[in-house]
Amino acid sequence: MARPPARTELHATVAARLRTDGQRVTASRTTLVDVLARARRPLTIPEIQARASGLATSSAYRNLLVLESVGVVHRIVTNGDHARYELAEDLTEHHHHLICSQCGAVEDVPASARLEQSVHKAADEIERHTGFRTQHHRVDLVGLCKRCA
Amino acid sequence: MARPPARTELHATVAARLRTDGQRVTASRTTLVDVLARARRPLTIPEIQARASGLATSSAYRNLLVLESVGVVHRIVTNGDHARYELAEDLTEHHHHLICSQCGAVEDVPASARLEQSVHKAADEIERHTGFRTQHHRVDLVGLCKRCA
DNA sequence: CTTTCTGCAAACGATTTGCAGCAGC
DNA sequence: GCTGCTGCAAATCGTTTGCAGAAAG
C-alpha cells in the first residue's frame, strides 16, 4: 500500500474529513483514494478491485459509502451494469463526462468556461420560474469514443 | 386501453417503427407509449405499472426494451433504485432534467437555446481535440425541488 | 482495551429469463 | 395456423448485511 509523495496533501485532507466524522483512517480507505486519484475517469468496483489487490468486494462498497458520506467520493450511475466512483470535485477539478454508447467507457473532460456560464444562467432562470434550487450539475456527452468511431 | 384522439399520430409513428423492425403492435406496447406520453417526466417501472393496470412486470421490462431498441423509448438511470423511461426525444422535444437530491423526483425542463449552443460548441471542440464523436447529450441539474427546499 | 473494520458467506432486490398458453397478422 | 407476446415463477447479478476475528486509536 505505497503512498506516492505527491499525494500527501490529498491524503491529509481525506484523513481530516474522516476524523471529523468520527471515522477511522485505514489502509483500505487510503488505497481507495489513491486508486481513484490515479485514474482519470470514474471507475467501477471491478476496476477498482483490479487496482487494489486483495480488497474484499464488501469492503470496497462499504468504504466507498463511507468516503461518499464524508464528501471525499462521488458515486455516479451511467448505463452500464456497475456504478462508478470518482473523487469529489472539490478534491479534483470540475469536469464533465464523455460516455461511449458502444463500449461504455467513460472519460473525464474539463468543463469549458462558456458552457459553465450557460449552465449557471439556465439554472438561475429555472429557479426563478420553478423554485428548483440547483446544487450542482452534470453534463454528459454520449457518443462514440475514438476507438469505437 | 382508451386511446385519446390527439395521440393518433404518435401511435402511428410508433406502430410504423415497430413494424419496420418486425415487431408486433400489441395492446401492452400501445398502452406503454400512451402512459409515457401523458407523463411530463421519466417514469419508473412501478410508476408505469400504476398507470397501466394489469401489466406484468416482466412484460413491462420486455416491452420497454423492445420500444427502446426501435427508438421509441429512452431508458435513463438516475440514482434511485429503479431506472426511468421516457419517450425518445424525436417524439417529444429536447429537454433536460431537474433531479431532487432529497426525494429523488425527476422533472423535465425545456433546454434553453443559449445552453444548447454552448453544449454543441463544447462538443465540437472536444471532437477536434480527442476524436470523441458526440451523438447526444444529457444535462441534469441536481438540487432541491420546491417541495423539499 | 474498546470500538470500528475487514473478509466471508448469506440475504436482498431490481431486472432477466424459461416455459406453456394466448393473441397478432 | 404459425410465430411471437404474455404472465407466472424461478434465476441472475450488482449491492447490502450479519457475524466473528483483526486492527485503529
Side-chain angles (χ1 to χ4, degrees):
Chain A
M1 300 227 179
R3 174 200 296 188
R7 310 222 188 265
T8 304
E9 196 185 331
L10 169 62
H11 284 294
T13 305
V14 170
R17 293 195 189 174
L18 282 170
R19 292 207 190 85
T20 298
D21 264 52
Q23 299 283 346
R24 293 184 180 171
V25 179
T26 69
S28 308
R29 291 172 185 178
T30 304
T31 300
L32 280 171
V33 170
D34 231 40
V35 165
L36 294 179
R38 265 195 261 270
R40 280 146 184 293
R41 58 198 188 78
L43 300 179
T44 62
I45 289 280
E47 288 170 343
I48 290 170
Q49 286 182 298
R51 291 164 174 73
S53 62
L55 181 61
T57 307
S58 57
S59 296
Y61 279 111
R62 265 194 283 235
N63 283 318
L64 288 166
L65 201 63
V66 168
L67 289 169
E68 188 179 24
S69 77
V70 169
V72 167
V73 157
H74 187 206
R75 173 191 175 133
I76 62 182
V77 185
T78 56
N79 279 319
D81 289 339
H82 295 267
R84 287 177 180 273
Y85 298 85
E86 62 185 0
L87 288 186
E89 291 205 317
D90 66 332
L91 296 178
T92 55
E93 255 191 315
H94 179 51
H95 61 268
H96 297 149
H97 292 135
L98 305 182
I99 303 175
C100 182
S101 56
Q102 186 95 120
C103 70
V106 180
E107 195 186 340
D108 288 357
V109 278
S112 88
R114 181 182 202 276
L115 177 53
E116 286 309 291
Q117 202 180 1
S118 296
V119 172
H120 287 127
K121 197 171 168 190
D124 286 350
E125 254 170 57
I126 286 168
E127 176 160 2
R128 271 201 302 283
H129 286 292
T130 70
F132 183 90
R133 187 167 309 169
T134 297
Q135 294 167 327
H136 65 271
H137 64 265
R138 213 154 48 204
V139 177
D140 299 334
L141 300 184
V142 182
L144 295 174
C145 69
K146 189 188 280 185
R147 284 186 29 194
C148 292
Chain B
M1 302 227 178
R3 174 199 298 187
R7 310 220 188 266
T8 303
E9 196 186 328
L10 169 62
H11 284 296
T13 305
V14 170
R17 292 194 190 175
L18 281 170
R19 292 205 192 86
T20 298
D21 265 52
Q23 298 284 346
R24 290 183 183 172
V25 179
T26 69
S28 308
R29 292 173 184 178
T30 304
T31 301
L32 280 172
V33 169
D34 231 39
V35 165
L36 293 179
R38 266 195 261 271
R40 280 148 185 293
R41 58 197 186 77
L43 301 179
T44 63
I45 289 279
E47 287 170 343
I48 290 170
Q49 286 183 297
R51 292 163 173 75
S53 64
L55 180 60
T57 307
S58 58
S59 296
Y61 280 110
R62 265 194 283 235
N63 283 319
L64 287 167
L65 200 63
V66 168
L67 289 169
E68 188 180 23
S69 77
V70 170
V72 167
V73 158
H74 188 204
R75 174 194 176 133
I76 62 184
V77 184
T78 57
N79 280 317
D81 288 338
H82 295 268
R84 287 176 180 275
Y85 298 83
E86 62 186 1
L87 288 186
E89 292 205 315
D90 66 330
L91 296 177
T92 55
E93 254 190 316
H94 179 52
H95 61 268
H96 297 150
H97 292 134
L98 304 181
I99 304 176
C100 182
S101 55
Q102 187 95 119
C103 69
V106 179
E107 196 187 339
D108 287 358
V109 279
S112 88
R114 181 185 204 275
L115 177 52
E116 285 309 292
Q117 202 181 358
S118 296
V119 172
H120 287 128
K121 197 173 168 188
D124 286 349
E125 254 170 59
I126 287 167
E127 176 161 1
R128 270 201 301 283
H129 285 293
T130 70
F132 184 90
R133 187 168 306 170
T134 298
Q135 295 168 326
H136 65 272
H137 64 266
R138 217 154 45 205
V139 177
D140 299 335
L141 299 184
V142 182
L144 295 172
C145 69
K146 190 188 278 183
R147 287 184 29 192
C148 291

